[in-house]
Amino acid sequence: IDAGDVCSDATFLRRLSLDLIGRVPAADDLQRFLADPDRAAAVDRLLASDEHPRFWSQLWTTMLVGRGAQGQVEREVLRGWLEQRLSDQTPVDQGVFELITAQGVTSLDGPVNHVVAARADPVMRLSRTFLAVQLDCAQCHDHPHDRWTHDDYQQMQRFFEPVEFREVSGGIAVSDRGARGDEEKPTFLTGRRPHTSAWRRELGLMVVQSKPFSRAMVNRTWYWLMGRGIVDPVDGLSRDNPASVPALLEEVAGDFRADQFQLRPLIRRICLSDAYQRDPPAGATNAADRVNADDAADRDQSLKLFAARTVRPQLPEHWLLSVAQ
């Protein structure tokens, strides 16, 4: 597949800076890099900067609660908590477990804001974000294009029955009363059931220990850096919508698990990949094409799209930070 030429050093640094710290490089940084264009060293330098967790906390916050104001959600409290976790290089599985199981008050405890933002339908938010599974159709009936049933959806909802919300002076307080002994235990999508009355905590463990979790996190990171997920759309892995390159998804997800769910090695691997460092081939700008298209020409075009970073618009954060720079 002709996936375009390797991008110039100036293009690489601009691309990398926008992706890792959210802004264009400073003129002095560009000149230093052009004098010594060590791409691996540039990736390591930006990953180690304070700007990286600050910008990526914005990406995570937008994924979790949206970009604008969300009623009783304290967005900046959540973002600050995420920035600290990213700075500390907290493993992703630990951070996501805290997001799923959070208790406390929205004005003080960052991950509680994710719980409050998802309170209307926690199953939908959890399955799409952390498992790349869409249970939308299963709310009312068995999924017409996947194996999920209405009972699967209802069972997942039951994990959240012990969660309680109440208004306090500091916002919304979230607590978990624990399940009563006579309540029938819910069932996770894999068939597992909780062993204790702490259903939501056990759900958090079931999520982060499942293989769909590592695939979902790898795919989301690939999407943020490449503009197109290995599974596209990024939260829609199903029988009818498999990964474009299944072996790649499994290999990178396996490495992510082997690295104890550390995010920076995953980012580093993608940024130093052949695909990330290439310019998109001429005419390959339609990210909606599918690699499993019926026509051979369409498959060839889709592989060209997948083999190089997709052209995409900048985010509002990119514009703001770059203008400031």
Side-chain angles (χ1 to χ4, degrees), residues 8 39 43 75 189 201 296:
S8 68
R39 298 191 175 191
V43 173
R75 189 181 190 279
L189 296 176
R201 288 185 62 82

Side-chain angles (χ1 to χ4, degrees), residues 123-184:
V123 172
M124 293 278 291
R125 189 74 63 95
L126 180 147
S127 63
R128 278 179 171 265
T129 305
F130 303 129
L131 299 172
V133 170
Q134 296 183 7
L135 294 176
D136 308 41
C137 292
Q139 292 181 81
C140 305
H141 50 74
D142 293 351
H143 201 298
H145 305 299
D146 213 338
R147 65 187 182 91
W148 311 118
T149 66
H150 180 53
D151 185 61
D152 291 328
Y153 176 83
Q154 290 182 312
Q155 288 290 328
M156 287 287 286
Q157 284 283 17
R158 295 193 58 238
F159 278 99
F160 296 93
E161 287 178 358
V163 183
E164 297 178 338
F165 301 86
R166 59 189 178 89
E167 293 191 15
V168 297
S169 59
I172 302 296
V174 176
S175 59
D176 200 325
R177 62 170 171 78
R180 294 185 296 271
D182 59 347
E183 291 183 281
E184 183 182 355

Side-chain angles (χ1 to χ4, degrees), residues 79-261:
R79 193 211 60 77
W81 177 83
L82 287 164
E83 182 178 351
Q84 188 61 55
R85 289 296 183 273
L86 289 165
S87 295
D88 295 341
Q89 299 188 59
T90 301
V92 175
D93 60 336
Q94 179 181 329
V96 169
F97 176 79
E98 294 178 47
L99 285 165
I100 294 172
T101 62
Q103 298 188 68
V105 182
T106 50
S107 59
L108 300 174
D109 306 292
V112 170
N113 289 281
H114 167 253
V115 178
V116 172
R119 66 187 294 186
D121 195 334
V123 172
M124 293 278 291
R125 189 74 63 95
L126 180 147
S127 63
R128 278 179 171 265
T129 305
F130 303 129
L131 299 172
V133 170
Q134 296 183 7
L135 294 176
D136 308 41
C137 292
Q139 292 181 81
C140 305
H141 50 74
D142 293 351
H143 201 298
H145 305 299
D146 213 338
R147 65 187 182 91
W148 311 118
T149 66
H150 180 53
D151 185 61
D152 291 328
Y153 176 83
Q154 290 182 312
Q155 288 290 328
M156 287 287 286
Q157 284 283 17
R158 295 193 58 238
F159 278 99
F160 296 93
E161 287 178 358
V163 183
E164 297 178 338
F165 301 86
R166 59 189 178 89
E167 293 191 15
V168 297
S169 59
I172 302 296
V174 176
S175 59
D176 200 325
R177 62 170 171 78
R180 294 185 296 271
D182 59 347
E183 291 183 281
E184 183 182 355
K185 294 178 180 179
T187 306
F188 187 53
L189 296 176
T190 60
R192 290 176 60 182
R193 288 175 175 256
H195 298 289
T196 70
S197 61
W199 288 358
R200 189 165 54 120
R201 288 185 62 82
E202 292 207 48
L203 172 65
L205 288 174
M206 292 175 193
V207 168
V208 301
Q209 291 172 357
S210 68
K211 285 190 175 181
F213 171 74
S214 56
R215 296 182 190 120
M217 293 297 97
V218 162
N219 192 55
R220 179 78 60 173
T221 306
W222 188 282
Y223 163 75
W224 275 339
L225 293 169
M226 299 291 291
R228 173 189 173 94
I230 305 173
V231 177
D232 180 47
V234 71
D235 58 358
L237 180 60
S238 69
R239 290 183 305 193
D240 284 0
N241 187 46
S244 299
V245 185
L248 174 63
L249 181 60
E250 292 303 319
E251 178 181 336
V252 182
D255 288 346
F256 185 49
R257 292 190 294 271
D259 288 333
Q260 304 297 310
F261 297 95

